[in-house]
Amino acid sequence: VPSGFMASADFVNHHCKTDAHYLYYLSMVKFISDNITRLLSETNVVCARYIYSTISYHDASRNTVKVDIDSLALVKPDFTFLLTVSEQERLRRLQSRPVKKKGDEQEKRAGSFLEKAERKLCSFPDIIKIPTDNKTPREIAITILGEAGLLPT
């Protein structure tokens, strides 16, 4: 969450319904997009979450607001990667974390929030899925760099 949004994010997260929450997060994505545009004149930019996750998480939460995303004129990423993991491996990794976050305990089963969000993420045509089971972070990074054409040949 960008620092200027921190004060209101807590309120929105705890007191707003899904539709208002979605609009708030879209405003944050627009703000981030404008900053990415500025930064791209100076450097490369890597974003861990962007518009697809915002749309997918809110669709999975039964958002009913329809927004013409193209009208936001967001900067388009060169690549969009979705790191996937089996449910068994996800739960194993969560168990090894020293600090747990809210929602970590959710299971990904048919019809669950996690399953619906992942299904929506996978529906975007330019998503590049990277399976991460049995891979180290270094191996995952090398896979991403290879998909982006950034590895020496």
Side-chain angles (χ1 to χ4, degrees), residues 44-103:
N44 294 319
V45 176
V46 175
C47 219
R49 299 245 191 286
Y50 194 49
I51 188 62
Y52 290 165
S53 56
T54 301
I55 293 168
S56 298
Y57 296 162
H58 287 87
D59 275 10
S61 297
R62 299 189 193 119
N63 169 56
T64 59
V65 170
K66 302 298 176 217
V67 175
D68 177 9
I69 299 300
D70 289 335
S71 72
L72 299 176
L74 302 173
V75 66
K76 303 277 191 252
D78 293 326
F79 301 97
T80 304
F81 299 102
L82 174 62
L83 306 182
T84 63
V85 66
S86 68
E87 181 63 2
Q88 180 181 353
E89 178 64 11
R90 184 183 78 86
L91 294 172
R92 187 194 68 72
R93 290 177 186 177
L94 286 172
Q95 289 303 314
S96 67
R97 282 188 185 167
V99 177
K100 309 286 190 277
K101 295 187 298 187
K102 180 183 175 193

Side-chain angles (χ1 to χ4, degrees), residues 102-119:
K102 180 183 175 193
D104 281 351
E105 71 285 348
Q106 292 183 30
E107 286 186 48
K108 186 174 80 175
R109 59 184 184 288
S112 70
F113 170 82
L114 292 175
E115 187 273 332
K116 288 189 267 188
E118 185 175 316
R119 187 171 2 106

Side-chain angles (χ1 to χ4, degrees), residues 127-148:
I127 287 282
I128 301 168
K129 291 196 296 186
I130 309 277
T132 65
D133 284 78
N134 305 313
K135 289 187 180 178
T136 66
R138 184 176 192 285
E139 291 169 326
I140 295 165
I142 289 169
T143 301
I144 292 169
L145 291 170
E147 288 286 342

